[in-house]
Amino acid sequence: MRIPSTPARIPRTSRAPRTSRDPRTPRVPRTAVVALASAVALAALSGCGTSEADSSAGSGGKQVTVRIPDPGNAGVLAAGKKDGSLDKALGKVNAKVAWTGSSGPFEPSAQAMNADQLDVATGSITSGITSLTQTPGFKFFTATAPDGAGEGILARKGSGIDSVKDLVGRKVAVNKGGTGEYLLLKALAEEGIPPDKVERVYLRPDQTASVFNTGKVDAWAVWAAYSVSELGTGKAHFVTDGKTIGSDNYSLTAVRTEFAKQHPEVVKALYRYLHDGSVRQKKDPAAYLNVNTDGGPQALTGKAKSVQIDFIRQGGTVEPVTDQDVARFEEAAEFYAEQKVTRTKVDVAEHILDIGKL
């Protein structure tokens, strides 16, 4: 599928320093990698439920229920679920977690929040921007620095694709309006290559591996949840990565707007737990891997485990959204409008929640 050519890119403004990580990793079961990536981002949350959260009165009355999908086998939320520390932390503000649903892309999570079926979700700013083109019922209240090493454009070794310029005339798999499409367009813009010189093939990331490995697409723009497994085979490599192209693809945590209005103390407590947990995880990553089982498709073993430990140590932590972050969000939104991913520039700043003012 092709998208028409777009105007020349806007010159980049000065940026905040970015986190860099070495992405080379052996193959591990994709379910384990996806679970870990969600955990490192502190759970890409989606799911369903009732409006029980809004019917509760928090510390002044009935206990509040926060709807969060099951976190799987790795990360801060998985550890918090197993040892009860998250419920203990939320219990101080008369709240508890309802573990429902499963992790997934941000777009359906945004729809679930809009429909009062979910209270919290995390995802990339790029997917967040496209979700904001609807009628959003959520706001972003945390930011984690872009993953400069774990996201990028994959090509198979021996394919003859060794640079971004080699993508001209080729097919590249991307997820529409999300990280994959952003990374490809950003890489092409950095090289001054018109977007219509490369064919974008829109695929769900969980359906792309077989298409990529059988040569039905020539490259794959993707993030760590999927790149780790491919790099681990030794048969794929990054043509470019997020750091090289100057990615502004933050990971953000969103909260349903009405939930935040009614239960600000719960949102603050959740932020503190996620922040503090991410700091501890960065210092001792192994404690947050294979939380429930060290075997099976969800587990990380061998060299893959040690590489992921290194990833976490070099990664960002969950922080409040700063003015500097918002400036980079707005730049990403402007880039999306320039590239005609969105019809107009989305005002991201309007949808930021200052955790310090709750």
Side-chain angles (χ1 to χ4, degrees), residues 16-22 144-150 242-243 247 282 311-317 328:
R18 295 175 172 83
T19 302
S20 176
R21 294 183 267 176
D22 181 2
T144 303
D147 180 4
K243 180 182 179 181
S247 171
K282 189 177 174 72
F311 266 43
I312 297 169
R313 283 181 176 148
Q314 296 184 59
T317 54
R328 292 177 67 180

Side-chain angles (χ1 to χ4, degrees), residues 42-48 66-72 77-78 81 86 97-104 109 112 117-122:
L42 302 176
L45 307 175
S46 63
C48 59
V66 188
R67 293 166 293 181
I68 301 177
D70 190 281
L77 292 178
K81 178 186 177 183
L86 178 56
V97 175
W99 299 107
T100 59
S102 59
S103 61
S109 297
Q117 297 176 335
L118 181 66
D119 297 314
V120 177
T122 65

